[in-house]
Amino acid sequence: MVVIEDEAIVLAGYQMLFESWGYVVIAAQSADEALGMLEAGSMPPGFILADFRLRDGQTGTEAIERVRQAFGPDIPGVVVTGDTTVTVDRLRLAASEGMPILHKPVNGRQLQELLTRSFKT
């Protein structure tokens, strides 16, 4: 599993949560960092979670697409956002590309159910 979140404390929280559920987590603050960490491993990720707004104007949808381009287009991904200024069009685009949107604060049960349904092994 890959988690891309530019806020270190939030990233650490996701990592601890997912590891407590038994997942192996690649935790990165950007798509570049995630790809660098993934290249060191031999298996593609089974799931990608990315915050919508990342540093340097990047978005979670772009980050998920970059990981998919490197490791396969059918890797499940979800975008998390707490940004109320995200346009409906951008949310629809993410959903049409197979990236469900979860709004912060994320409900742990909802997230766990989503992972159970879509995680690729």
Side-chain angles (χ1 to χ4, degrees):
M1 165 182 292
V2 174
V3 177
I4 303 172
E5 165 64 64
D6 61 349
E7 290 185 45
I9 190 95
V10 177
L11 181 62
Y14 279 130
Q15 183 172 8
M16 286 189 300
L17 177 66
F18 295 137
E19 287 176 349
S20 76
W21 291 344
Y23 295 102
V24 174
V25 178
I26 301 289
Q29 292 187 326
S30 69
D32 288 337
E33 184 179 0
L35 288 167
M37 295 168 83
L38 286 164
E39 287 174 5
S42 60
M43 292 182 58
F47 190 88
I48 310 160
L49 180 138
D51 188 47
F52 183 76
R53 295 245 185 246
L54 300 169
R55 289 194 181 113
D56 301 323
Q58 295 181 0
T59 67
T61 52
E62 293 166 345
I64 291 170
E65 280 302 315
R66 288 188 58 204
V67 173
R68 285 176 171 171
Q69 287 171 359
F71 292 95
D74 59 344
I75 300 168
V78 65
V79 176
V80 178
T81 186
D83 189 346
T84 58
T85 64
V86 176
T87 66
V88 173
D89 289 340
R90 289 183 120 178
L91 295 175
R92 282 189 189 131
L93 177 62
S96 75
E97 293 175 0
M99 298 177 214
I101 308 293
L102 295 179
H103 294 275
K104 293 179 183 178
V106 175
N107 177 305
R109 182 173 298 169
Q110 179 186 25
L111 184 56
Q112 193 169 33
E113 289 172 2
L114 180 64
L115 286 168
T116 301
R117 282 193 319 266
S118 52
F119 197 88
K120 294 184 71 70
T121 54

